[in-house]
Amino acid sequence: MPPEDTDAERPVDPGKTDAERPVAPGKTDAERPVDPGEQEDLTVRDPVSAPDAKGRPRRVTRRFPLFTRDTARPEGGGRAAAGDAPAPARQWPVLTVVGLVGVGLLITGLDVFRWGLVIIGAALLIGAALRWFVLDVGMLAVRSRFTDIVTYGVLGTAIVVLALMAQPDSRLQLPFLKDLLHFTVSG
């Protein structure tokens, strides 16, 4: 049962006034359950939804709360391994991507920049593939599955393409770029 519905099950004492009735922590007086007998003198300050299972109207509001109490975990943000597994085993997808990025940075630091950057871009593409195919990827899940896949894929592809196009001795030649450069410089 959702936390906002837990107070709806409590009986309301008809002998108490509004000030004497208990209000759940974190709720305003307008959100407390309403006794069907007191609906006639009720002043509605916020929208009232359809009745609940017991026939009482539930007060709801479409306003966001002033303070956020919790944040929803992104889909797929659960543990990648069982809860009794050690911490590194539970987060193997993100550790794989971070490890490959570390290897790429090390190779780039050893002055083999092109292949180091290709490894970094490939690590992001592997992260996109893991996000697509593995249901629970742990901390690799940052936002929605679609957003993560697009972000990892676009950044990984851009890094790989730019690394292969880097001078000197570029491994990837795109003829339309030379024409585009000539057009912009001469125009």
Side-chain angles (χ1 to χ4, degrees):
M1 181 177 298
E4 63 269 9
D5 291 341
T6 55
D7 292 332
E9 301 301 320
R10 289 192 190 140
V12 177
D13 185 8
K16 292 186 177 180
T17 64
D18 285 345
E20 296 172 340
R21 289 195 181 117
V23 177
K27 294 203 174 199
T28 63
D29 186 43
E31 294 173 336
R32 74 173 168 74
V34 178
D35 185 25
E38 71 177 12
Q39 288 180 7
E40 291 79 35
D41 60 351
L42 180 67
T43 304
V44 178
R45 289 176 287 189
D46 55 349
V48 177
S49 72
D52 61 5
K54 295 186 177 184
R56 297 178 304 215
R58 257 187 65 217
R59 293 176 179 266
V60 295
T61 180
R62 295 184 66 186
R63 293 182 187 162
F64 289 107
L66 185 60
F67 298 104
T68 303
R69 300 195 193 299
D70 195 10
T71 303
R73 185 171 63 199
E75 68 219 38
R79 294 178 173 152
D84 57 349
R90 289 191 305 249
Q91 297 298 332
W92 69 267
V94 73
L95 290 177
T96 302
V97 172
V98 169
L100 284 172
V101 168
V103 168
L105 288 173
L106 180 66
I107 291 173
T108 303
L110 293 174
D111 209 24
V112 189
F113 78 95
R114 183 184 323 273
W115 299 113
L117 290 175
V118 167
I119 291 174
I120 292 172
L124 289 173
L125 292 173
I126 289 170
L130 286 172
R131 191 69 173 100
W132 182 305
F133 292 113
V134 179
L135 294 179
D136 289 326
V137 290
M139 292 192 309
L140 190 63
V142 179
R143 292 172 187 85
S144 71
R145 185 176 304 263
F146 175 78
T147 305
D148 284 345
I149 291 170
V150 168
T151 303
Y152 295 148
V154 167
L155 290 176
T157 303
I159 290 172
V160 168
V161 168
L162 290 175
L164 292 176
M165 289 175 54
Q167 296 292 331
D169 301 325
S170 65
R171 306 281 188 241
L172 181 63
Q173 300 281 335
L174 297 177
F176 68 87
L177 288 179
K178 187 180 283 187
D179 296 337
L180 182 66
L181 179 65
H182 178 71
F183 176 73
T184 57
V185 172
S186 65

